[in-house]
């Protein structure tokens, strides 16, 4: 493999700092929900539920915490825990070994780390304040004009 190609991979996978509003910095690596599903870290059922909840939030134009947001939280937490390298983030805190509990991070901090780690984060894009879209979409192509015979 050429040195140029290896360098491109090193840059893609390099840890990068994310400064949180609290003033703390977390070194993260890129992680996608899809890769965690493929590894079995996020069960397919949870991933599908996350996708459905994100779609509902997008259609409703929802913001803040609601039932759909809570359905998405396990996937957000899984991405954050997989992405955080220094300090590591896990369910249980072990500060002596450099591990911070996911529960010691605020929801806003988790979302920030999630977005930074997963890039565009298409599955959870409603957190980025996207418009909700058309309120009355036409079902089943009813808005497509018929061709003249």
């Amino acid at each position: 493999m050429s040195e140029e190609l290896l360098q491109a991979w090193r840059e893609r996978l390099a840890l990068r700092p994310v400064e949180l509003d609290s003033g703390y910095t977390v070194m993260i690596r890129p992680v996608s929900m899809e890769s965690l599903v493929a590894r079995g870290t996020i069960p397919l059922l949870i991933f599908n539920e996350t996708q459905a909840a994100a779609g509902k939030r997008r259609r409703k134009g929802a913001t803040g915490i609601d039932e759909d947001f809570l359905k998405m939280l396990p996937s957000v937490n899984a991405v954050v825990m997989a992405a955080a390298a220094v300090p590591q983030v896990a369910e249980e805190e072990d500060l002596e070994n450099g591990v911070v509990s996911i529960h010691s991070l605020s929801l806003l901090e988790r979302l920030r780390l999630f977005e930074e780690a997963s890039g565009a984060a298409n599955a959870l894009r409603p957190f980025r304040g996207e418009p909700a879209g058309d309120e009355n979409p036409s079902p089943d192509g009813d808005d497509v004009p018929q061709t003249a015979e």
Side-chain angles (χ1 to χ4, degrees), residues 42-72:
I42 297 177
L44 185 58
L45 180 65
I46 298 294
F47 176 75
N48 288 337
E49 191 171 82
T50 298
Q51 296 285 69
K56 281 176 66 178
R57 285 179 61 84
R58 192 176 303 117
R59 285 188 300 279
K60 293 188 306 189
T63 59
I65 297 173
D66 62 4
E67 183 178 339
D68 292 317
F69 173 84
L70 294 175
K71 288 179 183 176
M72 297 162 60

Side-chain angles (χ1 to χ4, degrees), residues 110-124:
R110 292 183 218 178
L111 292 174
R112 170 85 191 280
L113 291 169
F114 171 85
E115 287 184 353
E116 290 287 334
S118 61
N122 289 329
L124 302 179

Side-chain angles (χ1 to χ4, degrees), residues 8 11 18 24 28 34 36 50 53 67 71 73 83 97-98 105-106 115 118 124 141 147:
E11 289 172 12
V18 176
Y24 294 107
I28 63 167
E34 291 81 1
L36 295 179
T50 298
E67 183 178 339
K71 288 179 183 176
L73 199 53
N97 291 308
L105 297 170
S106 72
E115 287 184 353
S118 61
L124 302 179
T147 58

Side-chain angles (χ1 to χ4, degrees), residues 23-41:
Y24 294 107
T25 299
V26 178
M27 297 296 291
I28 63 167
R29 65 179 59 86
V31 173
S32 70
M33 281 198 329
E34 291 81 1
S35 69
L36 295 179
V37 170
R39 278 197 257 163
T41 305

Side-chain angles (χ1 to χ4, degrees), residues 7 12 23 48 99 136 146:
Q7 184 58 31
R12 177 181 175 196
N48 288 337
V99 179
N136 298 308
Q146 299 296 318

